[in-house]
Amino acid sequence: MSGPFLFASSRAQAARCSFSQAVRQGLAPDGGLYVPLAWPRLDAADFARDTELASIATRLLTPFLAGDALAGQLPAIAREALDFPAPLVTLDRDGRLSVLELFHGPTAAFKDFGARFLAACFARMPETDGRKLTILVATSGDTGGAVAAAFHGRPGVEVAVLFPKGLVSPTQERQLTCWGGNVRSLAVRGTFDDCQRLVKAAFLDGELGAQRRLSSANSINLGRLLPQSSYYAAASLEIWRRYGEPASFIVPSGNLGNALAALWARQVGMPIGAVLLAHNANRTVPDFLASGEWRPRPSVATLASAMDVGDPSNMERLRALYPRLEELRQALGACSVSDEEIRARIRAGYRDYGQIWCPHTATAAEAWERLTPAQRQAGRWVLVSTAHAAKFREIVEPLIGHEVTMPPTLARLFERPVQCSEIEANLAALRAALLRDLREG
Ligand SMILES: *Cc1c(COP(=O)(O)O)cnc(C)c1O
């Protein structure tokens, strides 16, 4: 053996570690994000015997965990975490347009995949010292609920969920605050970017670090990002087997975790063609591709609120993969969709396909509409559906003119009592909230 497979910080190649070390740390010591130091090569033929999502995930991730403490447990982690379906639903007769439904998990959004995988990893990591493990998560809507659901009730670990007060949908807010027990819900008086900044600051804070073993569960955590490549692998293999053509994905994007998972799957050798990023009115990424100038800005509130990100942190990983602007432009496309277009697309999706799309999924549908007929005919396009429309019923129901049925798992969450504290958007307030919890608990 030549030692474990290594990940390096997106900022300095010298900061290297194996998979479970990267999962434990969340952020690299230099503030960068962990990326693979090299790319394993796999192709469709390697997956000939894999049909289930869990076994495809195991095959895909095995090289990344080579020599790691968790390597032997990967099949069990994948089986435990990826135990709900990710169906590919074809919308047209020729199979040129499909929807990849990523909303069949416990909190009805794609973030369940990564959050459950991460929790299954943490559950198998031995305690290293007496400090309690605290998972910090900043959420623009769905992450917090998925992470809370994945960790709720697990012994030896606490979760603090930070969300921008008043900027998530009422349904999402219920999902973020219905936990109690080992989950702390913190409504921050600020934006999602403030929440994200606070989590980053907490990691660099000596005072917190002395008392808590902090880790993150944001899409910056490798343990969430890497397993998300599995459903891209599975969907592309399904299309490859059916048509002998690569799949092209349109990914509703905010912090770029989901899009990056698609690009990483392609990098490894999965049969993936184009990857298009559909953004809402937060157009930092499309503007960057057009102008070449990186100008992060405050996020603006939109109907697709889980994508309201003005300074996507995974951009660092994207730049690590494609350091030159020209490479980046070749590798992906990006567009921006307005709230008006989102509304129109939700109406049209119901009218034309009988589909009930959440506002995020509608951005992908709009991006597909903007392709030329020739582009549509040349590809096997997959709209990535990131959440169940019931999570955004306040928006969707008036547009389609009737009620959206709530999946049973989601309905159960709504019966639980609300538990939440409000804090200012600064480190001192977060520190106080976390340490107060420590004294009480
Ligand atoms: C988080 C989220 C997104 C954006 O995903 P990123 O990985 O942050 O780009 C899109 N849609 C929904 C429903 C989400 O919850």
Side-chain angles (χ1 to χ4, degrees):
M1 286 285 313
S2 53
F5 183 90
L6 289 175
F7 296 86
S9 166
S10 53
R11 295 190 188 169
Q13 294 257 308
R16 295 177 183 188
C17 65
S18 75
F19 176 76
S20 48
Q21 289 166 329
V23 167
R24 237 186 240 288
Q25 288 176 32
L27 209 60
D30 62 0
L33 310 184
Y34 284 111
V35 295
L37 194 58
W39 290 99
R41 292 300 296 182
L42 292 165
D43 63 32
D46 294 314
F47 294 81
R49 283 176 292 122
D50 305 303
T51 49
E52 299 286 299
L53 182 60
S55 64
I56 290 170
T58 299
R59 180 89 48 205
L60 180 71
L61 302 185
T62 291
F64 291 100
L65 269 73
D68 183 75
L70 286 175
Q73 311 199 57
L74 177 58
I77 292 169
R79 268 198 310 277
E80 178 191 315
L82 312 177
D83 64 345
F84 53 92
L88 193 61
V89 177
T90 308
L91 296 189
D92 65 346
R93 218 178 302 129
D94 310 331
R96 298 243 161 238
L97 178 63
S98 335
V99 175
L100 178 61
E101 295 186 353
L102 300 181
F103 52 71
H104 296 282
T107 67
F110 82 90
K111 299 203 169 70
D112 284 323
F113 289 96
R116 287 172 60 75
F117 193 92
L118 185 68
C121 288
F122 273 122
R124 289 166 175 82
M125 288 183 189
E127 268 300 320
T128 46
D129 59 32
R131 288 176 305 165
K132 194 171 206 169
L133 174 63
T134 298
I135 307 285
L136 287 182
V137 52
T139 184
S140 56
D142 290 323
T143 296
V147 169
F151 282 89
H152 188 238
R154 286 194 188 259
V157 51
E158 217 175 62
V159 175
V161 176
L162 287 74
F163 65 94
K165 180 179 148 50
L167 296 182
V168 300
S169 84
T171 309
Q172 284 178 319
E173 178 152 348
R174 286 303 305 259
Q175 242 188 123
L176 296 171
T177 57
C178 68
W179 304 101
N182 63 333
V183 177
R184 311 282 163 202
S185 305
L186 301 173
V188 176
R189 297 189 194 108
T191 62
F192 170 66
D193 293 327
D194 291 324
C195 296
Q196 215 175 19
R197 185 175 47 75
L198 276 182
V199 167
K200 280 197 174 183
F203 277 108
L204 305 173
D205 185 48
E207 204 177 320
L208 272 174
Q211 305 197 45
R212 294 298 184 90
R213 193 152 64 81
L214 293 180
S215 198
S216 87
N218 281 105
S219 56
I220 58 174
N221 193 305
L222 192 68
R224 275 193 45 200
L225 189 55
L226 204 51
Q228 289 177 356
S229 294
S230 309
Y231 46 73
Y232 289 107
S236 67
L237 285 169
E238 194 175 326
I239 286 180
W240 185 255
R241 284 168 188 159
R242 209 181 295 164
Y243 306 109
E245 292 173 35
S248 291
F249 292 97
I250 309 185
V251 187
S253 292
N255 208 28
L256 302 179
N258 204 10
L260 208 68
L263 295 166
W264 282 9
R266 187 174 69 186
Q267 188 72 11
V268 167
M270 301 315 299
I272 295 173
V275 175
L276 300 185
L277 282 52
H279 290 265
N280 57 25
N282 292 277
R283 32 181 321 131
T284 308
V285 174
D287 284 354
F288 173 59
L289 286 187
S291 73
E293 267 176 73
W294 180 242
R295 289 198 298 120
R297 56 204 84 160
S299 54
V300 298
T302 75
L303 293 176
S305 55
M307 294 158 38
D308 291 348
V309 183
D311 186 2
S313 46
N314 276 307
M315 193 64 196
E316 263 191 68
R317 283 188 165 119
L318 202 55
R319 295 316 306 268
L321 187 56
Y322 308 110
R324 289 179 22 249
L325 184 62
E326 270 322 300
E327 284 175 290
L328 187 67
R329 283 177 171 150
Q330 294 274 312
L332 51 86
C335 69
S336 166
V337 176
S338 72
D339 276 359
E340 239 357 274
E341 290 164 320
I342 288 174
R343 284 196 192 90
R345 202 44 56 202
I346 291 174
R347 281 193 207 97
Y350 188 61
R351 185 191 62 217
D352 300 343
Y353 302 107
Q355 289 272 307
I356 304 181
W357 287 327
C358 84
H360 311 81
T361 305
T363 65
E366 171 65 20
W368 181 82
E369 285 293 330
R370 292 186 196 171
L371 297 174
T372 65
Q375 286 172 316
R376 285 187 220 154
Q377 273 310 308
R380 300 281 169 191
W381 292 95
V382 179
L383 310 179
V384 176
S385 182
T386 49
H388 194 288
K391 296 188 85 164
F392 304 91
R393 57 195 301 175
E394 301 86 357
I395 298 165
V396 175
E397 286 175 351
L399 294 171
I400 63 167
H402 67 80
E403 272 189 34
V404 179
T405 313
M406 181 81 51
T409 43
L410 210 52
R412 271 199 294 281
L413 296 185
F414 279 65
E415 288 154 15
R416 303 171 59 92
V418 169
Q419 302 190 38
C420 184
S421 352
E422 212 176 297
I423 65 166
E424 289 298 330
N426 60 56
L427 181 60
L430 175 59
R431 201 193 280 133
L434 294 176
L435 296 181
R436 181 175 63 237
D437 289 344
L438 187 65
R439 275 201 299 278
E440 284 165 4

